[in-house]
Amino acid sequence: MTVIPSIKSDYLGKLAEQGKRIDGRRFDEYRKIEIETHVVSKAEGSARVRIGNTQVLAGIKMDIGEPYSDSPNSGVMTTSAELVPLASPDFEAGPPGGRAIELARVVDRGIRESQIIDVDKLCVVPDEKVWMVFIDIHILDYDGNLFDTASLAALAALFSTKVPMDRFKPLFEKLKDTCPSINDYLQQHPTDYPLPLREPPISCTSVKFNNVVVFDPSLDEEEIAEGIGDVRSHGARLTVATDEKGHIRAMQKGLNGSFTKEEIQKAIKASIDNGNEIRQILYKSVGKK
Amino acid sequence: MTVIPSIKSDYLGKLAEQGKRIDGRRFDEYRKIEIETHVVSKAEGSARVRIGNTQVLAGIKMDIGEPYSDSPNSGVMTTSAELVPLASPDFEAGPPGGRAIELARVVDRGIRESQIIDVDKLCVVPDEKVWMVFIDIHILDYDGNLFDTASLAALAALFSTKVPMDRFKPLFEKLKDTCPSINDYLQQHPTDYPLPLREPPISCTSVKFNNVVVFDPSLDEEEIAEGIGDVRSHGARLTVATDEKGHIRAMQKGLNGSFTKEEIQKAIKASIDNGNEIRQILYKSVGKK
Amino acid sequence: MTVIPSIKSDYLGKLAEQGKRIDGRRFDEYRKIEIETHVVSKAEGSARVRIGNTQVLAGIKMDIGEPYSDSPNSGVMTTSAELVPLASPDFEAGPPGGRAIELARVVDRGIRESQIIDVDKLCVVPDEKVWMVFIDIHILDYDGNLFDTASLAALAALFSTKVPMDRFKPLFEKLKDTCPSINDYLQQHPTDYPLPLREPPISCTSVKFNNVVVFDPSLDEEEIAEGIGDVRSHGARLTVATDEKGHIRAMQKGLNGSFTKEEIQKAIKASIDNGNEIRQILYKSVGKK
Amino acid sequence: MKSDIKLIDGHGKRLDGRKADELRKIKIEAGVLHRADGSCYLEWGGNKVLAAVYGPREAIPKHTQNPLKAIVNARYNMASFSVEDRKRPGPDRRSVEISKVISEALERVILIEQFPRTMINVNIEVLDAEAGTRCAGLTAAGVALADAGIPMIDIPVACAAGKIDGHVVLDLGQKEDNFGDADLPLGLAPRINEVILLQMDGHLTMDEFNKAFELAHHGCLVVSEMQKKALLEKYESVVQPEEVVQDVQPEESE
Amino acid sequence: MKSDIKLIDGHGKRLDGRKADELRKIKIEAGVLHRADGSCYLEWGGNKVLAAVYGPREAIPKHTQNPLKAIVNARYNMASFSVEDRKRPGPDRRSVEISKVISEALERVILIEQFPRTMINVNIEVLDAEAGTRCAGLTAAGVALADAGIPMIDIPVACAAGKIDGHVVLDLGQKEDNFGDADLPLGLAPRINEVILLQMDGHLTMDEFNKAFELAHHGCLVVSEMQKKALLEKYESVVQPEEVVQDVQPEESE
Amino acid sequence: MKSDIKLIDGHGKRLDGRKADELRKIKIEAGVLHRADGSCYLEWGGNKVLAAVYGPREAIPKHTQNPLKAIVNARYNMASFSVEDRKRPGPDRRSVEISKVISEALERVILIEQFPRTMINVNIEVLDAEAGTRCAGLTAAGVALADAGIPMIDIPVACAAGKIDGHVVLDLGQKEDNFGDADLPLGLAPRINEVILLQMDGHLTMDEFNKAFELAHHGCLVVSEMQKKALLEKYESVVQPEEVVQDVQPEESE
C-alpha cells in the first residue's frame, strides 16, 4: 500500500468535515462513468468500464460442461478476478489473495443471487450438458472503487455476450451420436444468440472516514478509510446492490471500522438513487431500452 | 518450537535418572485416556480422544468412487492429518509439512497394513464402484504424543462409522441403469450398516532421552527428546503397533537419536502391555465385547 | 550462482582475445561426448549423456491416453526437465523455475517441431486412445551447456525406446470390449516395437562474451556470459538445431546480451558442422546406420 | 436453488418448530483448550465450533509487522468431515473471504494500538456445520479473545436474520438457508452498538431489511448475554466463589 | 498441425489480402494508464496488448537486490478471455518462457547499472491474441519504458517473419502461424542494430533464414518509427506545440 | 495385495534364486560426480541410486539457521521414469516421509555441532527402483558424506529384512515386497551398534522380529564393508599406491 503523507490525509479529513471532497464532488456523487463493449474479439462478450481513472476489463468465455448434480438442467457460472500488477504497484503477481477473492465473490454474488443470468435457459442436453459462463475480471488501472467498476464491467460484458453456437458446432455434431436429445436445442438455436439475462441490480459502494460517508471513493479516500499509517482510524466500506424496484439484492461491509444502523439505511437509499442513474448509463451503452 | 528453559530440561533429565517423571507417572505409564464417539453429526463416524491434555478429533467420510486397477473389488482408504494452528502456537496454517505427513502416514499404515477395514466388503459394483473411506485427523490441543492419540481417535471413529446407504440412495438409483449388478449389493444392504472391521492393533509410543525410555511422552518430554536448544541431545521416538495376540503390526522410529536392540525389544513388550489396556478402553467406549 | 573470482573472469576474457580457451579447445570445438543407452530398466527408453563433466539422464515413459481434439489420431508428447539439487549447489528443490522451463521447452520444440516422433503411428484407437510419450530430463552433474546435453540425451533415449505392448496387455484386453477397432492395431503390433522416429536435428549451443563466440560452453564460460558479478557484461547464448540436410529446425537466443546478424550466420554454420559430427556419435551409440 | 418445501406454516411455525423470532439452541463454553491462550467451544443448532487465540506475540514474517499496532489474523477453517460431502482440506475461496471479514470485524474491537509489531492469531475450526457458521465463528472468537485476556472495547457477537417463504425470521437453519429468499448475517459491537460485520444475499425490500436488521440485532444482544455467562462460569470455576460476586457484578451491570 | 488450407495464392496474396512483405495494421498509444509510471496500448492485427512500467524502486524481496544494477522483471500474461478456449488464470510454462526472454532482451537496452538495488517491473497484458503476441509485447514494453523515462540505449522493438506454403513472408497471422512452415520472431535494438531476441520454430534453409531475417529486420525498423511517433504524440499532448518542434526534431534525425 | 505367487520354494530358494539370508547384488562407487562435494553411485539389485552432498555451507533461508549446530537436509527423490507407471515430478507424501527419517538418521552420525549455522544438503536420486530404495538411499548417502569429508562418528548403513510365505528372509525384492507379509528396513550406525532408522509394516511375532532384526543387522555389517571398500578404491585412484597401504590399513582394522 502506498502511504499517503499524513498531511494529505489530514487535509482530506478536514475537507470532509466541511462537507467537501478534494475533487469537488458531493459525498454521494460518482466520478464520470464510461462503458465500452465488444473490446475483445476472442471473448464471447467483453466490456471496458472506467469510473474516473479506475479502469476494469471484463471478458466472458463460454464452454460446454456438466451440470451440478443438484441442478441438472441449469447452466453454471464462475467469476474470477485478477489484481494484475499492471494496475497498481501494490498488486502482486501470484495466486489471488484475500482482496482479489473478496472482490470476485462479491461481484459473483451480485450476479448469482440476483439471478441475472437465466441459467435454466443454458441447458443443452438435460442432465448431461450445459453452458458454463466464465466471467473474468481484469483490473487495468486502479484509482479506487474496484467493487463498483468490476461489477459494472461484468454486467456490461454479459449484456454484450452471444452464446457461441457457431464456434461449438463441431462439438455439437459429435454429441448428436451420444445425446440425440440435443437436436431440440439445436433447432431452437440455429446460430449465435444473446445470453439470456434478467434485469440487473447495480452495486454502489461507499466508504466512511472521519465520520462522513462518501460514495465512489477515489484511491486517496480508500486509503484513508483503510487507515494506512494511522492507527486510530477505523474506516469502513459498504457495498449495496439494488434493483429497478429499489429492492436490496446484496450487501457487503468491509474494512476494520463500523457503521451505525442509520448510516447503513442512508447508504442503502443513496445506493438506490445512484443505482438508477448508473443503470441508465449501462442500458444506453448496451443498446437496451 | 517452544524452547523449554534449560533449567526445566535439566530438572526433567535429573528426575529421569532417578526413575521419576514430573507428573509422577511410571516410565511405561499412560496419562488418563478418554474416548467420546459420535461427536460430529455430519460425519459417517467420529471420535474425540484425549490423552492427558492432548486432544484429537477424527472424522470419517465415505464416498463412492472407482477402485484401483490392481484391486478392482476392494474399497479404498485415505488418511489425512492437519496440524491446525488451533492446537499449538508452533503449528502453522498451510499445506501439511513433514511432521503432519509422517503422522498421517504412520496412522494410515497402522490401519492399512493391519487390514482393520475389510475393504473386500466395500465393493459396490465389481470393477466399477467401491466405497472410499476418508479418515481425517484434526489435532485440537497439543500436549505431546500425537501418534497414539491420533491412531486411537482414528480407530474409535472407524468403530462408530455407519456406511451411509441412505445418503447415497439417489446415486444408487441412478447407477441401476448403467450397472444392474448393483442390485445384489443393495439387497444385501437395504440401509446404513456398520463399517466392516477386523480387530485393531494399538499404537504405543515412547521417547528416549538421558538414556531412559518413557511412554506416552508429554510435550515437555518430547521437546527434550527433540533436543530443542540442546546440541548434544540425541533423543529418539519409537511407535509400535501390536495386536491382541501380541504380534507386531507396524513400527516407526523417529528423531535424530538411536536405540539399542535391547531398548527396542523392551519397548515392544511394554507396547503389548499398554496396547492391551488401551484396547479395553477403546472397546468399552465403542460398546464392543 | 557461484561467483567466479573476477581474476578468473579476466583471465578467461584475455585468453579469448588471444583466440584461446582455458582447456585448450578451439572456439567451435566440443568437449568429449559420451552416450550410454538402456541405463534405466523401468523406463521404456533411457540414455545418459556426458559432454565433458556435464551429465544428463533422460528417461522415456509411455502411457495410453486420449488424443487432443484437434489431432484425434496422433500420439501426444510431453517434455519435463528437473534441475535437481544433486547436480549443482545453485539448483534448488521445488517446482521448475524459469530456467528449467526454458530448457524443457527448447528441448521439446527441438523434438516436436522437427517431428522426430512420428506421432501419426502412435494411434491405438482412432479418436479415442493414443500413446503418450513422456520425456523426462534429469540433470545429474552440471558443468555448462545443459541445452545440448539435455537435447542429445532426449534423442538417445528416444532411439532406445520400445513401445511397451507387453506391459499394457491387460489394458488392451479390457479395451477390446469397448473399442473393437483396437484389434487392427494389436494385430499389427503383437509385441514391443521400436518407437517410430524420423531423422533427428541436433542442437548446438554457443555463448558470446568479450566479443568472441565459443561453442559448448563450460560452466566457467557460461558464468562469464551471464555476467555474474560484472555489471558491464552483456553475454548472449544461441542454440541452433539443424538437420542432416543442413536446414535450420529451431533457434533460441538467451541471456541479456545481443548478437549481430553476422555472428548469427556464423553460428548457424558452425552448428551445422558440429551437428553432423554429433549425429554420427548418436547414431553409433544407438546402433543406427 | 428453489424447491417446493414449505419452510413456514400457517401458524408461523418453522420446519424445526421454532417461531419467527426464535434462536436455535446455543451452548457456549470458555477455556476449553489447554494449549491456547484463550479458547471457546460453541454449539449453535447443529453447528459445532472451536476458537483458539494465541498472542499477542511478535509478528512473523517480520515484514508483516506494523510499528503502530497489532495485526489480527483470523483463520476460519472447516474440517473435512463437517459437511455432507467431504471438503478437501485447506482454505477455499469461501473460507478466505470469511477469514477476511472476521479479521476486519475483530480489528474494530481489539485495542490493537496497545501491541505494536505483534500479531494476534484467532483460529476458528468448524467441526460440524449447519448454516450460520460465520456468525457462530465470530461469536466464539469473541469469547476466546476475552478468555485470553486480550483488551477489547467490546466482546464481538454475531447473529443472522433472513427471509423464508416471504417471512422475515431469525437465525436460519440449513434448509431455510438453502431454500430461503435472503440471509443477513450481522456482527455487532454490542456496547457501542455498531455494526462490524454485514453481508446480505438474496432479495429484501427496504422494510424487510429494517425488520431483519432489528431481529438480527436483537439476536446479537441475546447471544451477547450468553457469552458473558460462559465467561463468568469459566471465571467462577477458577476463583473463589465469594470473590466472583464482587468482581463480576459491576461487569454485568454495564 | 498441417491442413489443406492454401495460405498464399498464385499472385503472392495472403489469406487476409496482404503481400508477402506487408505488416498487419498497427496502432500504438503511449501513456494510456493513470497509475503506472509509463504505459502503452498497442493493437497489432487482432492482437491487443497493454504494457505498464513501475520503477525503478527498491527491489523486494531484499535478497533479490543486486548491488551493482537494477533487475528487470518482465511479466507476460494472457487474459483468460484473450484466446479461443478460455485460459486458466496465472502463468503457464509458455508465459514463463516468454517473460524470461523478454526480460533478458530488455536488460540489454536499459541502463541498469544506473539503478543498483532496484527493480524495474514491466507488466505486459495480452487482452486479445492473434499470433505474434511476444513481438507485440516487447514492442509495447519498449514504448512504456520510454514513457516512464527509464534511460535506455535504444527503444527495443520486435517483429516476426516466417514461411508459409514455402514462401518467406513478414508478420504471420493466426492461420499462417497454425498451418505455416516456420516462425522467426526477432527483437532488435535498432540504433546499435543488434539482435536482443531470437527464436525459431519450423523448417528453414540457410537462404530462407537470411531472407526471413531481412524481412523481420525491416519490419522492426518500420515499427520502430511508429513507436517514436506514438511517444511524440503523447509528448505533444502534454507540452506546448512550439516547444515540441524544437525538442523532438533532433531525436527524429537520428 | 495378496496373490497366489509362491515366493519361496521347498528348498528355501526365492524367486530370484537367492537363499533366505542372501543379499541382492550390490555395487558401490564413490566420487562419481564432478560438481558435488561428495557423491556415490549405488546399484542394489534392480535399484540404481545416486547421492550427492553439498556443504556445510551457510544455511538459507537465514531463519532456518541453528546457532548451535548444522541442519541436515536429506532429500529423497524418485525420477519420473524410475517406476513402472510414470511418477509425477516433485515430492509426494511418501518421499517427504522418507526424506524426514533419513535426515534424522544422518543427524545422529554427523558431528553437526562442529558446523553451527550451516546446512548440509544430501540429495538422493532414485533412478531405477526395485524395492528397498530407502535402505539403498541411506547407504549411498553415507558413502557420499564420507567422500565429502564430512566428520561423522560412523558411516551410516541400512538393509532390510522381511517375511515372505511365513519365512523370515533378508533384503526383499520387488515381488517379495508386493506380496510378502512384512518388511523391516533397518538403519545402523555400525561402530556404536545403534539403530538410527527403523520402520515396519506387516505382521511379525516377537520371535520373527528378533530373527528379522538379526538378519537385517547382519546385512548392514556386510554392506558396511562394501562402503569402506568403495571409499578405499576412490582414495586409491587419487593417491599414490604406496601411500594408500599405509593410510588405509589402520582404518580397515577397526
Side-chain angles (χ1 to χ4, degrees), chain A residues 7 13 24 28 45 68 83 87 116 127 144 158 163 185 190-191 209 219 245 283-284:
Chain A
I7 195 163
D28 61 354
Y68 288 116
L83 305 184
I116 295 172
D127 267 315
L158 286 171
V163 180
Y185 174 76
T191 183
F209 60 89
L219 182 59
K245 294 178 193 141
Y283 280 174
K284 217 174 137 185

Side-chain angles (χ1 to χ4, degrees), chain A residues 79 101-102 105 109 229 231 234 247-253 255-259 261 265 268, chain D residues 68 93 97 100 104 107-108 113 194-196 198-204 206 209-210 213-214:
Chain A
T79 308
I101 288 174
E102 187 189 16
R105 283 179 59 83
R109 281 204 293 270
V231 65
H234 280 294
H247 295 175
I248 309 161
R249 305 305 291 255
M251 297 179 76
Q252 177 90 347
K253 181 255 163 192
L255 306 190
N256 65 7
S258 51
F259 286 104
K261 185 185 170 187
Q265 289 171 323
I268 295 173
Chain D
L68 299 176
R93 285 160 44 119
E97 187 198 346
K100 185 170 187 287
E104 291 171 339
E107 277 189 11
R108 178 65 187 95
E113 64 274 20
E194 294 206 355
V195 173
I196 56 176
L198 179 71
Q199 297 184 296
M200 205 283 282
D201 287 336
H203 191 159
L204 291 176
M206 193 75 201
F209 169 78
N210 288 336
F213 188 96
E214 281 310 316

Side-chain angles (χ1 to χ4, degrees), chain B residues 85-86 91-93, chain D residues 51-61 64-66 69-77 95-96 98-108 110 112 117-125 138 141 145 150:
Chain B
L86 179 93
F91 294 168
E92 275 172 33
Chain D
V53 169
Y54 289 94
R57 53 176 176 152
E58 192 189 15
I60 48 166
T64 65
Q65 293 187 358
N66 186 319
K69 59 186 175 184
I71 50 172
V72 178
N73 299 318
R75 179 177 176 271
Y76 166 99
N77 186 45
S95 61
V96 169
I98 296 179
S99 296
K100 185 170 187 287
V101 296
I102 291 183
S103 295
E104 291 171 339
L106 295 179
E107 277 189 11
R108 178 65 187 95
I110 298 173
I112 48 180
R117 297 197 183 282
T118 70
M119 63 180 176
I120 296 169
N121 289 344
V122 182
N123 301 288
I124 299 166
E125 297 291 323
L138 179 52
L145 283 162
I150 307 281

Side-chain angles (χ1 to χ4, degrees), chain E residues 91-151:
Chain E
D92 55 12
R93 285 160 43 119
R94 180 178 167 274
S95 61
V96 168
E97 187 197 346
I98 295 179
S99 297
K100 185 169 187 290
V101 294
I102 291 183
S103 295
E104 291 171 339
L106 296 179
E107 279 189 11
R108 178 66 188 95
V109 295
I110 299 173
L111 298 176
I112 49 180
E113 64 273 19
Q114 294 192 1
F115 308 98
R117 299 198 181 281
T118 69
M119 63 181 176
I120 297 169
N121 290 344
V122 182
N123 301 288
I124 299 165
E125 297 291 323
V126 177
L127 305 174
D128 221 344
E130 193 230 2
T133 56
R134 82 192 63 190
C135 289
L138 179 53
T139 301
V143 174
L145 283 161
D147 182 45
I150 308 281

Side-chain angles (χ1 to χ4, degrees), chain C residues 79 101-102 105 109 229 231 234 247-253 255-259 261 265 268, chain E residues 68 93 97 100 104 107-108 113 194-196 198-204 206 209-210 213-214:
Chain C
T79 307
I101 289 174
E102 187 189 16
R105 283 179 59 84
R109 281 203 295 269
V231 66
H234 280 295
H247 296 176
I248 308 162
R249 305 304 291 253
M251 296 180 76
Q252 178 89 349
K253 180 254 163 192
L255 305 190
N256 65 8
S258 49
F259 286 105
K261 186 185 168 188
Q265 289 170 321
I268 294 173
Chain E
L68 299 176
R93 285 160 43 119
E97 187 197 346
K100 185 169 187 290
E104 291 171 339
E107 279 189 11
R108 178 66 188 95
E113 64 273 19
E194 294 205 357
V195 173
I196 55 175
L198 179 71
Q199 297 184 295
M200 202 284 279
D201 288 336
H203 191 160
L204 290 177
M206 194 75 202
F209 169 80
N210 288 336
F213 187 96
E214 280 312 316

Side-chain angles (χ1 to χ4, degrees), chain D residues 2-55:
Chain D
K2 285 283 158 187
S3 90
D4 302 332
I5 297 179
K6 186 104 193 90
L7 297 171
I8 191 160
D9 70 12
H11 308 285
K13 223 173 162 183
R14 297 150 71 178
L15 284 181
D16 56 2
R18 283 188 287 154
K19 287 177 292 182
D21 61 353
E22 196 177 339
L23 286 166
R24 288 175 286 180
K25 209 186 147 190
I26 295 173
K27 182 181 134 186
I28 308 179
E29 212 176 327
V32 295
L33 298 178
H34 164 76
R35 195 75 193 275
D37 296 325
S39 61
C40 173
Y41 176 68
L42 182 147
E43 291 185 5
W44 184 321
N47 295 305
K48 297 196 183 81
V49 173
L50 261 176
V53 169
Y54 289 94

